[in-house]
C-alpha cells in the first residue's frame, strides 16, 4: 500500500510505503474500485511526461 500526499497527512512530500505481511485466510481484503481513464486523458498525461523529460525536470 502506498500512502502519500496531503490525504495521507504528509507535511513533507515523500513516498511512504507500507509492507504488510499477508497470510492465507487472514480475512483482510482490499478491493479497489476499477478506474478507467479515457484515451484523451491518457494522452494528456503521456504528453506531460514527455514534456517533463524533454525539459529535464
Amino acid at each position: 500500500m502506498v500512502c502519500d500526499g496531503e490525504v495521507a497527512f504528509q507535511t513533507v512530500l515523500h513516498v511512504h510505503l507500507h509492507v504488510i505481511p499477508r497470510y492465507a485466510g487472514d480475512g483482510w481484503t482490499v478491493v479497489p474500485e476499477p478506474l478507467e481513464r479515457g484515451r484523451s486523458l491518457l494522452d494528456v498525461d503521456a504528453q506531460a511526461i514527455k514534456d517533463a523529460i524533454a525539459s529535464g525536470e
Side-chain angles (χ1 to χ4, degrees):
M1 178 183 313
V2 176
C3 301
D4 58 356
E6 184 178 339
V7 297
F9 307 105
Q10 286 186 334
T11 56
V12 175
L13 181 60
H14 65 284
V15 175
H16 190 137
L17 177 68
H18 291 259
V19 178
I20 302 170
R22 298 297 310 275
Y23 304 95
D26 64 10
W28 189 68
T29 60
V30 175
V31 182
E33 294 183 26
L35 299 176
E36 186 173 322
R37 291 176 58 82
R39 171 50 52 191
S40 62
L41 293 174
L42 293 172
D43 290 342
V44 168
D45 293 342
Q47 189 60 53
I49 292 168
K50 289 176 186 177
D51 293 344
I53 291 169
S55 69
E57 292 181 13

